Amino acid sequence: MIRALLIAIALLGLLCIWQRASVSNAHRAADNAAAARDRAEGERDNAFAELAQAQAVITTERANAAKAAAVAAQFEKDKADAQAASDRLVADLRAGNQRLHTRWQAAIATGELSAAAAAASIADGGAADRIESAGRIVGAAAACDAQVRALQAFALVCSGGAR
């Protein structure tokens, strides 16, 4: 009988140890699940933060591209305006609506004297050349001004400033 009682106590002891191990394993499994859940939530939060950052970069890049396109369009308009101003000056000089500065007028007088002395019947091509040169000078200056304004505006866009 004592033997049976000792066996029963031993069996009860083993049952307690087994149950305790099962509870401990359940706690470990729950702890592992909680840790995995925390890691997954952290990764999700990081992904959301990276997505928000990428969206902000895309928005900024789109705004900068739109500003750069506006600068380029303004530059093209300014270039066309410079060419139109040059053409207008040439037309006005030919029509007599504009006159060249005195320094250019002296070249005309000298050219006329030389032309008269050389051959009175040959038309003076120098006047047309001076008119074309004046037009090219005005056009080139206006085109350079337009380019400088465009480059300054583009630099402002690239630096993040507003236009």
Side-chain angles (χ1 to χ4, degrees), residues 55-68:
Q55 288 173 335
V57 167
I58 288 169
T59 301
T60 301
E61 288 299 318
R62 285 182 180 160
N64 286 344
K67 289 176 188 175

Side-chain angles (χ1 to χ4, degrees), residues 79-103:
K79 262 191 351 184
D81 291 347
Q83 183 61 46
S86 173
D87 295 343
R88 200 171 33 253
L89 177 64
V90 170
D92 286 346
L93 286 169
R94 285 189 180 142
N97 297 333
Q98 290 280 341
R99 295 186 61 199
L100 295 175
H101 193 271
T102 307
R103 287 177 286 195

